[in-house]
Amino acid sequence: MSLLFGSIAFGCNENTRQVAEENETDTTVTTTSDTTNLSAALSSFTSADILNHTKQLASDAFEGRGPGTPGEDSTVNYLTRHFQQLGLKPGNPNGTFVQEVPMFGFTAQPKASFVAGGKTINMNFPSDYVAVSRRFVPTVDVNNSDMIFVGYGIVAPEYGWDDYKGLDVKGKTIVMLINDPPIPAPNNAGKLDSTMFGGKAMTYYGRWTYKYEIAAEKGAAAAIIIHETEPAGYPYEVVSGSWSRENFDVSNPKKNMDKVAVEAWITNEKAKQLFLAAGKNYEQLKAAAAQKNFKPVPLNAKANFSIKNKLREVKSRNVIAKLEGSDPQLKNEYIVYTAHWDHLGKDPQLKGDQIYNGALDNATGTAGLIEIAKAFTKLPEKPKRSVLFLAVTAEEKGLLGSKYYAENPLYPLNKTLANINMDVLNAYGPTEDVIVIGYGNSNLEDILATEAQAQGRYIVPETSPEKGSYYRSDHFEFAKQGVPALYAKSGVKAEGQPTDYVQKWQDKYTADDYHKLSDEVRSDWNLEGAVEDLQLFFRVGYRIANGTEFPEWKEGSEFKARRDKMMSQPGDTTGTARVTEL
């Protein structure tokens, strides 16, 4: 998972409570009322079963579940075996439980230096910077490249925003800030303008992936993002820990030669040193970059990168199982549950413990996927539509498994009603609330609110949408293609615990265990909250699978146009159904 708790509320403030009350008051649709029909399925979820799967997947025998390693073989075999034992059908129409995901692995050995104001600034890898080339070539060199500060590196016509202002950056090294420009509201300097880049909420323009994509489109030789913890949503150690290891990308015929040659991050401290040596005031330029009239600023500096790539072709796998629907017509429509099975693998260069077991992230989510699949098999009557259980590879490497499926779907996306994603389950006990990541995007959250109300719970939006968590897990790749996608997590008001209990629990995990060797199964876990959440996700999927309408994106969602276009294509038999009630 790219980010765990950075965007999760650490308290239920008046605004989020108001949203919860509105959901409870305004929800007129009925809940999943056939509790007799669901009783066996709901009671099949147990802490013991979740824990058992998690222990197995996070054991040393699975070697951290790294794609393209023996740990992948163990994981794929484990998932396939359990899906078979549940009586599920192979999810791939070719009769297997796997979808091959062609990738290449690349381990970068970079060297970098900057020359500014007649001074050479040596860069230490990975403490000062990380740099990779996603091109499928053994060596990449960028020599004596002019460096240009391009603000946030955004071209967004709908907002009248262009950080490049027509400047030709071909062959240049561009330096950018992370996230969207923080533009004050016209009449309230203490708030951000909600009409620009979503206000407080990060848009895709703020994601590092977009910034490298636009750099490639503009023909830059190298693209550098300045890391800052708050706007990035995670400390630099998360970047350096991931980017300094073997990374992956999906294979394509162009061997990624259409991507920018060098993608890099530098620490905020090194950026300030660079700007100072170049005779520039970093803070002043950062403030100027938040203005529409900002123009690129040459830094009077040169960049040098030399990257040696250790390359290998990797055939990784998504694992997919299917519960076929009971309705002769509707069984050709689908709900997809996802969780990523991969973690960071094993680092043989370490002394002592070398295995990143990834217990919470995301052995728990994978365990949850198996448990939801099991629950559907306990129904006395199958749902009308088919349900897919998709365990994807290489989420930690850039959502690659879900990206590959969404771009090469085994079942038509215009027949796919929704994606429900799980990434890290609750190990701190039941909560009164449920957090919706990317609140306001689709009416899936209205269904979630109704089903949560049946549990005596309520939904709340994330309080730090500026972290862009909606773009950081596997549901996003479905959303990019237009499929309504739901990403929800346990809330922060733990039942019977002090107000700050969850905050302290999450802070400790983020600081001590997230993406570290210590993310292992712990004896003090309380998985009753995970049980409650999985029951909720099951109820949402069951309801959609038996509903009469397709879920939809809400007006103003950046994904709505893609879905509308998809659903209006010739040959589509589902139409562009509007949802008023499921």
Side-chain angles (χ1 to χ4, degrees):
M1 181 184 178
S2 301
L3 174 72
L4 184 55
F5 299 122
S7 64
I8 291 181
F10 287 144
C12 184
N13 59 30
E14 289 302 317
N15 290 335
T16 56
R17 181 68 195 186
Q18 180 180 355
V19 170
E21 291 171 350
E22 288 173 355
N23 277 316
E24 292 176 351
T25 302
D26 295 342
T27 300
T28 57
V29 292
T30 57
T31 62
T32 303
S33 57
D34 190 356
T35 54
T36 301
N37 193 44
L38 298 185
S39 60
L42 292 173
S43 62
S44 72
F45 293 100
T46 68
S47 294
D49 287 345
I50 298 169
L51 182 61
N52 182 57
H53 287 304
T54 302
K55 282 182 176 179
Q56 294 297 318
L57 291 163
S59 67
D60 284 355
F62 284 68
E63 296 187 350
R65 306 185 305 284
T69 71
E72 168 166 351
D73 296 334
S74 299
T75 306
V76 169
N77 291 338
Y78 185 88
L79 290 168
T80 299
R81 182 170 68 255
H82 280 277
F83 286 148
Q84 288 174 324
Q85 290 173 353
L86 290 172
L88 296 170
K89 291 187 175 183
N92 194 320
N94 69 7
T96 71
F97 283 89
V98 299
Q99 178 191 36
E100 289 193 357
V101 181
M103 303 189 302
F104 68 88
F106 57 97
T107 305
Q109 296 177 315
K111 293 181 180 180
S113 65
F114 305 139
V115 179
K119 299 178 181 178
T120 298
I121 302 173
N122 292 312
M123 305 290 289
N124 295 315
F125 170 82
S127 58
D128 295 333
Y129 80 105
V130 290
V132 301
S133 179
R134 297 181 189 274
R135 295 182 175 184
F136 196 66
V137 292
T139 59
V140 170
D141 292 299
V142 173
N143 297 313
N144 210 33
S145 174
D146 291 333
M147 303 184 75
I148 302 173
F149 177 62
V150 294
Y152 287 87
I154 293 172
V155 178
E158 67 272 33
Y159 297 119
W161 196 277
D162 182 357
D163 280 327
Y164 291 86
K165 300 295 191 298
L167 179 69
D168 184 358
V169 297
K170 288 185 176 63
K172 307 292 195 300
T173 293
I174 58 175
V175 182
M176 299 171 282
L177 299 165
I178 191 63
N179 213 314
D180 300 318
I183 303 170
N187 300 316
N188 189 342
K191 292 187 176 181
L192 296 181
D193 187 349
S194 62
T195 67
M196 294 293 295
F197 298 104
K200 185 179 179 181
M202 180 192 284
T203 70
Y204 189 56
Y205 293 116
R207 283 286 285 146
W208 59 267
T209 48
Y210 166 80
K211 295 177 189 293
Y212 295 135
E213 288 166 4
I214 192 67
E217 182 181 316
K218 294 287 185 181
I224 300 172
I225 295 175
I226 299 171
H227 179 273
E228 290 184 276
T229 297
E230 187 64 25
Y234 37 78
Y236 177 74
E237 287 72 22
V238 172
V239 179
S240 62
S242 297
W243 285 53
S244 61
R245 298 167 55 81
E246 182 179 33
N247 282 275
F248 295 84
D249 210 338
V250 175
S251 299
N252 64 44
K254 295 181 180 179
K255 296 185 180 294
N256 277 355
M257 294 304 291
D258 54 344
K259 295 199 173 186
V260 65
V262 175
E263 299 177 1
W265 292 75
I266 61 173
T267 64
N268 194 40
E269 293 74 17
K270 275 295 178 179
K272 290 179 178 179
Q273 182 181 346
L274 168 65
F275 279 56
L276 181 63
K280 307 295 183 183
N281 186 300
Y282 173 73
E283 296 299 337
Q284 288 180 358
L285 288 183
K286 180 181 174 182
Q291 305 295 322
K292 264 189 182 181
N293 61 1
F294 169 82
K295 292 182 179 181
V297 178
L299 291 178
N300 189 29
K302 304 285 187 179
N304 298 283
F305 289 97
S306 178
I307 297 177
K308 292 183 178 180
N309 262 345
K310 181 180 178 182
L311 301 167
R312 66 184 179 115
E313 293 187 1
V314 176
K315 289 185 179 179
S316 193
R317 287 154 289 179
N318 292 331
V319 184
I320 183 168
K322 180 169 80 168
L323 180 81
E324 188 167 79
S326 59
D327 186 282
Q329 299 299 321
L330 296 182
K331 70 178 183 180
N332 295 317
E333 297 175 352
Y334 309 91
I335 292 87
V336 185
Y337 284 94
T338 51
H340 72 90
W341 60 254
D342 68 301
H343 195 57
L344 302 180
K346 180 179 179 180
D347 186 352
Q349 297 182 358
L350 296 176
K351 294 182 179 180
D353 189 4
Q354 300 178 335
I355 297 173
Y356 291 84
N357 299 85
L360 271 180
D361 184 15
N362 187 34
T364 57
T366 308
L369 185 69
I370 298 172
E371 288 300 289
I372 286 181
K374 179 180 71 176
F376 272 96
T377 67
K378 298 296 183 181
L379 291 168
E381 182 179 350
K382 294 179 182 178
K384 294 177 181 179
R385 293 183 175 86
S386 296
V387 185
L388 304 174
F389 307 98
L390 177 63
V392 295
T393 182
E395 187 270 357
E396 301 288 6
K397 304 302 182 183
L399 315 183
L400 299 184
S402 53
K403 174 183 174 67
Y404 188 80
Y405 181 91
E407 293 180 353
N408 303 273
L410 297 176
Y411 302 90
L413 295 186
N414 64 358
K415 303 283 189 179
T416 303
L417 280 74
N419 167 242
I420 301 172
N421 184 52
M422 295 164 289
D423 197 342
V424 181
L425 297 186
N426 171 357
Y428 47 81
T431 62
E432 298 176 12
D433 51 339
V434 182
I435 291 172
V436 178
I437 309 298
Y439 182 88
N441 264 308
S442 80
N443 73 328
L444 287 171
E445 66 197 41
D446 302 330
I447 302 168
L448 179 76
T450 302
E451 296 301 331
Q453 186 177 355
Q455 291 184 321
R457 305 168 77 192
Y458 54 88
I459 71 169
V460 296
E462 56 193 318
T463 59
S464 299
E466 70 275 10
K467 302 295 192 297
S469 290
Y470 195 78
Y471 309 107
R472 296 177 180 173
S473 194
D474 293 299
H475 63 283
F476 175 57
E477 294 299 335
F478 285 86
K480 276 177 69 176
Q481 299 302 322
V483 177
L486 178 67
Y487 184 33
K489 288 183 171 292
S490 280
V492 295
K493 287 185 68 68
E495 295 179 2
Q497 297 290 351
T499 303
D500 62 350
Y501 175 78
V502 174
Q503 177 179 356
K504 289 181 177 179
W505 197 99
Q506 293 176 344
D507 283 349
K508 187 176 188 305
Y509 174 78
T510 302
D512 298 344
D513 302 324
Y514 176 53
H515 278 202
K516 294 183 174 68
L517 295 165
S518 54
D519 185 3
E520 299 182 346
V521 174
R522 295 186 179 278
S523 60
D524 61 350
W525 281 3
N526 179 354
L527 292 172
E528 289 304 315
V531 168
E532 194 173 48
D533 290 343
L534 291 174
Q535 290 173 331
L536 177 59
F537 300 154
F538 165 79
R539 293 170 69 109
V540 171
Y542 176 83
R543 180 178 175 141
I544 298 168
N546 286 295
T548 58
E549 307 285 355
F550 272 43
E552 282 194 340
W553 298 108
K554 294 184 177 182
E555 294 294 336
S557 170
E558 59 194 292
F559 311 109
K560 187 177 187 303
R562 183 68 179 263
R563 183 63 161 182
D564 288 348
K565 181 179 180 181
M566 174 199 302
M567 300 302 285
S568 64
Q569 295 296 321
D572 168 50
T573 59
T574 59
T576 54
R578 305 294 296 183
V579 175
T580 56
E581 178 175 316
L582 283 175

